Amino acid sequence: PLIRPELPSDHQGLDRLLTAAFGHAEEAQLLADLRADGDLAVSLVAHVRGLPVGHAALAPLLDDRPGFSLASLAVHPALQGRGLGQALLAAVLAEAGERPVVVRGDAAFCARAGFQPLAARTRLMVRGDLPGGGPVIQAPAFARL
């Protein structure tokens, strides 16, 4: 599969992909909400002949720290376990550059990519150095999950 930036023509296919990958529509709604709220900094699509089979996105943190939240890293169930998730994660982290990225996800998968627990009693993990203290403020769409 080829990885490229999301196009408007991908929206319906991404909805179907995220619903299939997660078994529910919440991640598809998260992506739609981030897009509608103007909080989608990066949205990458892995596709085969124009059909989305993988997705990864970044939303900026809203607490004046230069970082991102990773949103909806997903691979179609028929293609999972073949390295596409790792390729999408590498591509989206390359887009983040040196800026930290926080994620609420599978701890084992995230740890393999260099994420570490952000703090005790939180489900967030971080890759990179997140300066300052206090809570991480993500885009409002994350609170609706």
Side-chain angles (χ1 to χ4, degrees):
L2 299 174
I3 297 175
R4 60 159 168 74
E6 173 187 310
L7 301 172
S9 60
D10 294 322
H11 294 184
Q12 287 183 346
L14 287 172
D15 288 348
R16 288 189 296 274
L17 166 68
L18 293 171
T19 300
F22 289 97
H24 53 75
E26 284 88 0
E27 293 291 330
Q29 189 61 53
L30 171 64
L31 180 59
D33 289 349
L34 288 170
R35 201 182 290 124
D37 295 346
D39 290 328
L40 194 57
V42 175
S43 182
L44 299 178
V45 177
H47 69 94
V48 174
R49 294 185 211 115
L51 179 68
V53 295
H55 179 258
L58 295 174
L61 296 179
L62 302 180
D63 55 11
D64 296 327
R65 290 186 267 191
F68 296 100
S69 294
L70 177 65
S72 66
L73 177 63
V75 174
H76 191 281
L79 297 177
Q80 290 176 2
R82 298 182 186 184
L84 183 53
Q86 291 289 345
L88 278 162
L89 183 58
V92 81
L93 290 175
E95 292 285 335
E98 296 298 316
R99 292 165 289 188
V101 176
V102 298
V103 64
R104 188 175 301 152
D106 178 81
F109 180 85
C110 294
R112 286 193 307 270
F115 285 87
Q116 299 181 2
L118 182 62
R121 296 185 306 271
T122 179
R123 292 175 30 212
L124 287 177
M125 298 182 76
V126 65
R127 184 174 185 271
D129 182 32
L130 191 62
V136 172
I137 301 175
Q138 295 177 293
F142 287 96
R144 296 190 285 264
L145 276 180

